[in-house]
Amino acid sequence: MSKVSEKQLSDEQLHEIIAKADTGGRHPTGTVPKQVLFFVPLVWTLFQLWYASPLPFIFDFFVLNNTEARAIHLAFAIFLSFTAFPTLKSSPRDYIPIQDWIVGLVGAFCAAYIFLFYDQLANRPGAPTTLDLVVAVTGLILLLEATRRALGPPLMVVAAIFILYTFGGAHMPDVIAHKGASLVKGMTHYWLTTEGVFGVALGVSTSMVFMFVLFGSLLEAAGAGNYFIRTAFAGLGHLRGGPAKAAVVSSAMTGLVSGSSIANVVTTGTFTIPLMKKVGFSAEKAGAVEVASSTNGQLTPPVMGAAAFLMVEYVGISYVEVIKHAFLPAIISYIALVYIVHLEACKMGLKGLERRRVKTLAQNLLSFVITVLSLIIIGGATYYGLGWIKTVAGEATFGIVTVLLALAYLFLLWIATKVPELEVTTEITELPPLGATAQAGFYFLLPIVVLMWCLTVERLSPSLSAFWATVLLIFIVITQRPLKGLFRKAQGVEFSVKRGLYDLIEGMVSGARNMIGIGVATAAAGIIVGTVTLTGIGLVMTAFVEFISGGNLFLILLFTAVISLLLGMGLPTTANYIVVSSLMAPVIVNLGAANGLIVPLIAVHLFVFYFGILADDTPPVGLAAFAAAGISGGDPIRTGIQGFAYDIRTAILPFIFIFNNELLLIGIGTWLHLIIVVAASVLAMLIFAAATQRYMLTNNRLWETAALLLIAFTLFRPGFFWDRLYPPLAELPAAQIETIAGELEPGSQLRLMVRGRDFHGDEYEKTLMLPVGDEATGVERLEAIGFTTRNEEGKTIVDTVGFASSAEKAGIDFDQEIASIQMDADIPPKQLMFIPAILFFALIWWLQRERSRREKLQAEGAA
């Protein structure tokens, strides 16, 4: 791929890139193999729809528990890995060799073993038979091979190393040695329980990820992907560097429901990259913009490359909370990327695509106001209207809402037929009109509205929310063509129910084939998680990072970021997150607490996730960069380097929100506080982008770049300077713990500094946060938290700790000394630092404006 011509790759070659990355590179010509690769994914999709729906409980038929469903899910994934993916690059792709049929069926049997013999295994926990061990060993080996075929060597190699570490622990170097595990213990842990392969990660893939990937696949089958891309071009294509800005927005919209940055690059890049080159972007910069956009799509809620659902399980918060915390960093990162594209266009003097009709400023403002007001009115009517219906209609609400949705769909579809059908091509020769383009697909937004309503208002589970949104989408896919034919008074194959059913089945098959890699990835990543719980390697990683960083907090974060980046190279999003969160998240939590930094767990998981995802555009692996270079005709390494240069703005965000949790919307008290945080964050990111691009209104001078970086840092972390003027915490004697606990507001946090000795006899000191309840006295509140204290030689010592209590989970242990209690100090708001920062920025902006005007006059005079 490094030697590519300037000629754009053909559609067939582009589909081959997606196939190799996501859906399987084999396209057999024989009738039986072709039918197997069609009907098995279709059956898998039907099974997942059944499992996600309330139907099993309604009919009391084929009701599965989580473990049984995971086994069936993995059986489908392993079988399809061996049949859809060839063994080697040189292996046949037009037929399936007999050995692949055999190992595929054996692997599927091993995966389904827990389902087939569930009762027998439950009756002999920890005492596996010879058959159990044979199945476990065979299944583990075939899972590694399935992972290699579907995803390439990286994840397979990582998982194999962890297995080797588990069984060879006694022979490892002293720093990472452990006593090792027996075959019985290891295989039981990895395959016959839910601690390893069939653990949380595979459970999330089974219950949530499949439904969202299917939802995205059906949206694409319905034509929504083409609609999003053309709408983005219609709205932004006329701006300076417009195709590149449209590439960012369209990739963001596609990335919302995509589980793969590579598929996102190839899907949207076929449109965007040639147009960016057409208006003046180099092949490498055009590819880099697409890579940065698509990679950031994996960081954007609601799907986040399926990692959002894993965070629900690993962090222990609701899905809505995950979306809330991840939203602002993702949005400001995209805003900054649009601005970077604008700066690149300004530096190169580029223009956008020519509009058919130029509107005046007043007309543009009027259109904008009408659009915003319409959205507010529709949103308000929907929210309060449905709330009123629920109050009045009670149990009849479901039927009434279904009728209203059907009427809304018919109305929006009728509106769509009043404009021409959108072209389905990979080339946009002229700027499409925004109004007509948007009008052609408003009805595509209905399933997304249903999805977000079920998630955020009805508070249904993510899988059930995706199920109801998918049901509506299935109805749309089947009916949109015949209804358009009815409204347009047109006939033909394009407007038949048969074509709608064909689109539906293709979308369902495509969705299942997109899940092959994710299914085996989450299973293989379960090996890493199982190794962590079996051997305690997480503590070793903590000790290693602490050793090489010398205990310096910034170096701890920097080394953790680099290790996460290395671990993420070549791994798909889901496996990427599982690996880095299992190994590196505890490092930040433990070492941060030891250095007095209390980091919310969601911030830690987002930190390692961000750097794991950035591996997709980081050379030398950078799979997304290679895919983009295949389209642009540019050099993949240079494309990756340029893409990472654009993504520096994303790389700084984790360092910011670790120290300033407000960026994750944590600790926001009022609407005014929220507005200030959002405005400061957006401005800071734009200023940072201008600094890193060394251009704002004109080329930056060196001191201006340094000043802009300082201003951006101040807006992102006003507390860094303010805390040196006004210490944010006041230390109180530990002897007052009962009094202070009794005075705190219920639901607040009690912050303690504790000292103790570890297993090696070394002293440690760390900061802990404990949730305070609404009990009457301080003593009762401490008991509810889960610990009591005693006074010993003038020291406050932890006397008892409740099993599985909040105190034990936070790290309180017997005989620890409570050194002090830390309370928020009464100081002026740190946001006052924004004032000098903004004034300094205004000075630089004014200086650059004057310099830019002089340069323009000089250029005109020279001409």
Side-chain angles (χ1 to χ4, degrees):
M1 179 107 37
S2 60
K3 299 285 187 181
V4 287
S5 66
E6 282 294 308
K7 188 177 183 295
Q8 189 176 331
L9 296 182
S10 67
D11 288 347
E12 184 178 345
Q13 290 171 309
L14 294 173
H15 286 303
E16 186 66 19
I17 291 174
I18 300 177
K20 289 178 181 177
D22 292 297
T23 60
R26 187 175 274 156
H27 301 284
T29 55
T31 303
V32 173
K34 188 180 292 186
Q35 288 181 341
V36 167
L37 290 185
F38 178 82
F39 284 106
V40 172
L42 181 60
V43 172
W44 189 9
T45 297
L46 294 174
F47 162 73
Q48 295 287 164
L49 285 168
W50 173 267
Y51 178 64
S53 75
L55 295 178
F57 304 98
I58 294 173
F59 296 106
D60 194 24
F61 173 73
F62 200 45
V63 179
L64 301 170
N65 63 35
N66 292 337
T67 306
E68 292 172 319
R70 293 172 191 180
I72 296 173
H73 179 85
L74 182 58
F76 276 111
I78 287 182
F79 176 77
L80 289 170
S81 294
F82 284 105
T83 52
F85 291 89
T87 309
L88 302 169
K89 288 183 178 180
S90 58
S91 300
R93 296 172 182 270
D94 55 348
Y95 70 93
I96 303 174
I98 184 66
Q99 66 269 19
D100 285 354
W101 287 109
I102 294 172
V103 292
L105 290 170
V106 171
F109 170 77
C110 294
Y113 189 75
I114 289 182
F115 167 70
L116 297 172
F117 301 97
Y118 185 80
D119 293 334
Q120 294 92 319
L121 289 168
N123 290 329
R124 54 171 188 266
T129 64
T130 302
L131 178 61
D132 294 342
L133 293 176
V134 170
V135 167
V137 171
T138 305
L140 207 59
I141 293 171
L142 293 182
L143 172 61
L144 292 176
E145 170 58 13
T147 304
R148 185 196 66 80
R149 290 194 184 202
L151 304 167
L155 181 57
M156 182 272 290
V157 171
V158 171
I161 290 172
F162 274 81
I163 293 173
L164 180 65
Y165 177 73
T166 297
F167 294 111
H171 307 289
M172 296 291 168
D174 289 343
V175 68
I176 60 171
H178 65 98
K179 67 178 182 179
S182 65
L183 181 67
V184 171
K185 184 177 181 180
M187 289 302 109
T188 300
H189 196 81
Y190 281 135
W191 200 266
L192 301 177
T193 68
T194 56
E195 295 296 323
V197 168
F198 297 95
V200 171
L202 186 62
V204 170
S205 176
T206 305
S207 61
M208 303 183 206
V209 178
F210 192 105
M211 290 307 302
F212 277 83
V213 170
L214 176 63
F215 181 74
S217 181
L218 289 177
L219 268 178
E220 186 66 33
N226 182 53
Y227 170 71
F228 290 151
I229 292 170
R230 292 186 179 275
T231 303
F233 270 93
L236 299 170
H238 65 283
L239 300 174
R240 187 189 292 267
K245 293 173 183 174
V248 175
V249 174
S250 59
S251 294
M253 291 190 291
T254 305
L256 292 179
V257 292
S258 169
S260 167
S261 57
I262 301 167
N264 198 349
V265 165
V266 177
T267 302
T268 58
T270 51
F271 289 85
T272 60
I273 291 175
L275 276 170
M276 282 190 270
K277 291 176 65 179
K278 184 178 178 180
V279 297
F281 279 82
S282 67
E284 283 76 20
K285 286 190 175 181
V289 169
E290 182 59 47
V291 167
S293 306
S294 299
T295 303
N296 275 215
Q298 303 302 288
L299 305 173
T300 308
V303 175
M304 296 165 65
F309 315 114
L310 291 161
M311 287 183 190
V312 171
E313 301 295 330
Y314 287 165
V315 181
I317 60 178
S318 72
Y319 177 68
V320 175
E321 286 289 303
V322 172
I323 292 176
K324 184 185 83 171
H325 296 317
F327 179 76
L328 183 57
I331 292 302
I332 64 174
S333 184
Y334 263 119
I335 291 172
L337 185 54
V338 172
Y339 183 56
I340 286 173
V341 166
H342 174 75
L343 295 178
E344 288 279 21
C346 289
K347 285 191 283 186
M348 293 185 282
L350 304 182
K351 299 186 180 296
L353 297 175
E354 189 175 343
R355 286 196 288 188
R356 297 178 183 178
R357 185 169 67 89
V358 180
K359 291 184 178 181
T360 64
L361 177 61
Q363 289 174 321
N364 284 323
L365 288 174
L366 181 62
S367 299
F368 177 76
V369 171
I370 291 174
T371 302
V372 172
L373 289 177
S374 299
L375 290 173
I376 293 173
I377 292 169
I378 293 171
T382 302
Y383 184 84
Y384 293 106
L386 286 178
W388 177 79
I389 291 172
K390 286 179 68 176
T391 304
V392 174
E395 294 182 358
T397 302
F398 180 80
I400 295 172
V401 170
T402 301
V403 172
L404 290 176
L405 263 178
L407 292 174
Y409 168 56
L410 290 173
F411 173 72
L412 292 175
L413 198 64
W414 176 75
I415 289 291
T417 59
K418 299 304 175 185
V419 295
E421 287 287 322
L422 297 178
E423 294 182 12
V424 185
T425 62
T426 57
E427 186 175 357
I428 299 176
T429 55
E430 60 180 7
L431 192 68
L434 177 58
T437 304
Q439 186 176 329
F442 281 139
Y443 64 94
F444 287 132
L445 302 178
L446 285 176
I448 299 174
V449 170
V450 169
L451 174 64
M452 298 313 297
W453 176 271
C454 290
L455 284 170
T456 59
V457 179
E458 297 295 333
R459 296 299 177 104
L460 300 180
S461 68
S463 58
L464 192 55
S465 300
F467 170 77
W468 289 119
T470 302
V471 167
L472 175 58
L473 191 50
I474 289 172
F475 178 74
I476 290 174
V477 173
I478 295 173
T479 61
Q480 63 172 337
R481 291 182 181 275
L483 287 174
K484 282 183 177 180
L486 181 65
F487 292 141
R488 293 185 185 276
K489 296 182 174 58
Q491 293 181 342
V493 177
E494 287 295 311
F495 300 104
S496 64
V497 175
K498 182 178 179 180
R499 179 59 190 272
L501 289 171
Y502 174 81
D503 290 341
L504 171 64
I505 293 172
E506 283 294 314
M508 294 171 80
V509 171
S510 177
R513 293 191 66 164
N514 285 334
M515 273 301 300
I516 299 172
I518 296 176
V520 294
T522 50
I527 296 172
I528 288 100
V529 177
T531 302
V532 171
T533 57
L534 188 60
T535 65
I537 183 65
L539 297 176
V540 174
M541 291 300 296
T542 300
F544 172 71
V545 173
E546 184 176 28
F547 172 74
I548 61 175
S549 65
N552 181 281
L553 190 55
F554 179 76
L555 289 179
I556 288 169
L557 293 174
L558 184 62
F559 284 127
T560 303
V562 172
I563 294 171
S564 298
L565 197 65
L566 294 174
L567 289 172
M569 286 187 176
L571 301 186
T573 304
T574 44
N576 185 328
Y577 168 66
I578 296 164
V579 172
V580 297
S581 64
S582 300
L583 286 177
M584 304 312 301
V587 173
I588 299 177
V589 172
N590 295 333
L591 298 182
N595 286 270
L597 177 67
I598 300 296
V599 186
L601 198 53
I602 182 64
V604 175
H605 279 252
L606 284 172
F607 181 94
V608 295
F609 177 57
Y610 264 58
F611 283 103
I613 290 301
L614 286 175
D616 275 353
D617 65 3
T618 306
V621 178
L623 298 179
F626 275 84
I631 302 170
S632 69
D635 179 81
I637 299 299
R638 289 171 59 192
T639 300
I641 293 171
Q642 185 65 62
F644 189 77
Y646 290 152
D647 269 338
I648 290 175
R649 77 201 189 287
T650 306
I652 68 156
L653 284 173
F655 288 97
I656 299 300
F657 60 60
I658 284 289
F659 293 99
N660 181 8
N661 301 152
E662 290 179 349
L663 199 61
L664 302 179
L665 304 185
I666 296 174
I668 303 295
T670 63
W671 277 103
L672 178 60
H673 189 183
L674 174 64
I675 292 169
I676 291 173
V677 168
V678 172
S681 300
V682 171
L683 180 60
M685 184 53 82
L686 295 179
I687 292 172
F688 181 81
T692 54
Q693 292 300 304
R694 301 187 302 279
Y695 188 97
M696 190 164 64
L697 301 179
T698 185
N699 291 313
N700 295 345
R701 289 174 176 163
L702 185 60
W703 75 267
E704 290 175 334
T705 295
L708 289 173
L709 288 173
L710 178 64
I711 293 167
F713 179 76
T714 305
L715 293 174
F716 271 134
R717 275 203 65 194
F720 181 82
F721 300 107
W722 202 245
D723 292 349
R724 281 148 180 76
L725 297 174
Y726 301 95
L729 297 172
E731 292 199 354
L732 301 177
Q736 300 180 18
I737 185 169
E738 293 176 0
T739 304
I740 293 171
E743 294 174 350
L744 289 173
E745 289 291 327
S748 60
Q749 299 281 325
L750 177 64
R751 183 179 177 117
L752 305 177
M753 174 74 78
V754 299
R755 297 192 187 104
R757 290 185 180 274
D758 59 21
F759 291 115
H760 303 291
D762 298 325
E763 288 191 1
Y764 65 82
E765 187 174 80
K766 61 182 179 180
T767 307
L768 305 175
M769 297 283 276
L770 302 169
V772 175
D774 57 358
E775 290 76 19
T777 67
V779 174
E780 292 173 347
R781 288 185 174 184
L782 295 181
E783 290 176 349
I785 293 171
F787 75 106
T788 59
T789 62
R790 69 179 188 271
N791 290 321
E792 189 175 288
E793 298 179 357
K795 298 179 180 179
T796 302
I797 307 296
V798 176
D799 194 24
T800 62
V801 181
F803 176 72
S805 64
S806 299
E808 186 187 56
K809 292 177 181 176
I812 293 286
D813 203 354
F814 297 99
D815 294 330
Q816 281 178 338
E817 177 192 354
I818 299 177
S820 63
I821 304 165
Q822 297 177 338
M823 301 285 289
D824 289 335
D826 186 15
I827 61 174
K830 62 185 178 183
Q831 285 78 13
L832 291 175
M833 284 298 302
F834 292 164
I835 297 174
I838 292 173
L839 290 175
F840 194 14
F841 171 69
L843 173 63
I844 295 174
W845 184 86
W846 180 80
L847 290 173
Q848 286 211 2
R849 189 190 68 170
E850 293 300 310
R851 192 162 74 249
S852 174
R853 189 165 58 183
R854 289 196 303 270
E855 291 170 355
K856 187 176 179 180
L857 290 174
Q858 290 173 358
E860 290 175 353

